[in-house]
Amino acid sequence: TTKRKRKSRDIGREINKGFMKGLNGITNGLPDQLPLQPLELVWAKCRGYPSFPALVIDPDMPSDGQKVSGEFIQAPSEEVLEHREKNPHNTVLVRFFDGRRSWQWLPPSKIDRLGKDKDFDVTQISISGPSKRSVQQAYERAMRHRRKVLKKLNTEEDSDNISSSS
């Protein structure tokens, strides 16, 4: 895994030429064709902690937050946004699905897509140690979020199909 992490960091340094203020395409340690998008579910890794499920946040979203498929997404506070200045331009803002809904600016090399590779997700959920239960709970919160958003999207799509067939 050390070799994989080193390779991921090197790739992350090479890739960032800017997309949506640094939302880059790093997926499970490899470059991806599609860059990370705001509101995408990811595994985010902070020093001293295992990877945790998180949501990519557009730091330029409206200050009163936004509603996406019926789910309210809280905007980052001024304090969180002030940390942008202390971080390199290629960092990505994420909001974790931990109990406190904490925020962090992270380099793309510390972010992997959640849900793209089931085996990778299972490995992340199956970590051992004192954080195991917290990671599992955060994963459950992330999956609830995904289900609510997808359910609402499917409902909207169904109503669009019904109205267009009338």
Side-chain angles (χ1 to χ4, degrees), residues 10-115:
D10 293 343
I11 290 170
R13 286 186 193 117
E14 292 171 19
I15 286 184
N16 188 31
K17 297 300 174 211
F19 177 82
M20 292 191 67
K21 295 169 186 55
L23 303 182
N24 294 314
I26 303 294
T27 303
N28 300 340
L30 299 172
D32 195 22
Q33 301 87 335
L34 299 174
L36 290 170
Q37 296 295 314
L39 308 179
E40 187 170 352
L41 292 175
V42 295
W43 288 103
K45 173 82 172 93
C46 289
R47 184 179 302 164
Y49 294 92
S51 291
F52 261 77
L55 191 64
V56 174
I57 299 293
D58 180 355
D60 297 320
M61 75 187 302
S63 61
D64 56 348
Q66 73 186 87
K67 216 168 193 174
V68 177
S69 300
E71 279 291 292
F72 179 74
I73 307 297
Q74 178 185 356
S77 68
E78 287 301 318
E79 183 182 358
V80 169
L81 293 175
E82 286 171 8
H83 286 282
R84 178 195 290 190
E85 314 310 320
K86 298 174 186 172
N87 290 284
H89 72 282
N90 66 339
T91 55
V92 177
L93 179 60
V94 297
R95 190 194 78 206
F96 289 97
F97 284 96
D98 60 350
R100 295 183 347 209
R101 305 287 185 176
S102 44
W103 302 82
Q104 187 69 44
W105 292 91
L106 293 170
S109 61
K110 299 289 185 179
I111 299 173
D112 296 302
R113 283 194 161 88
L114 192 151

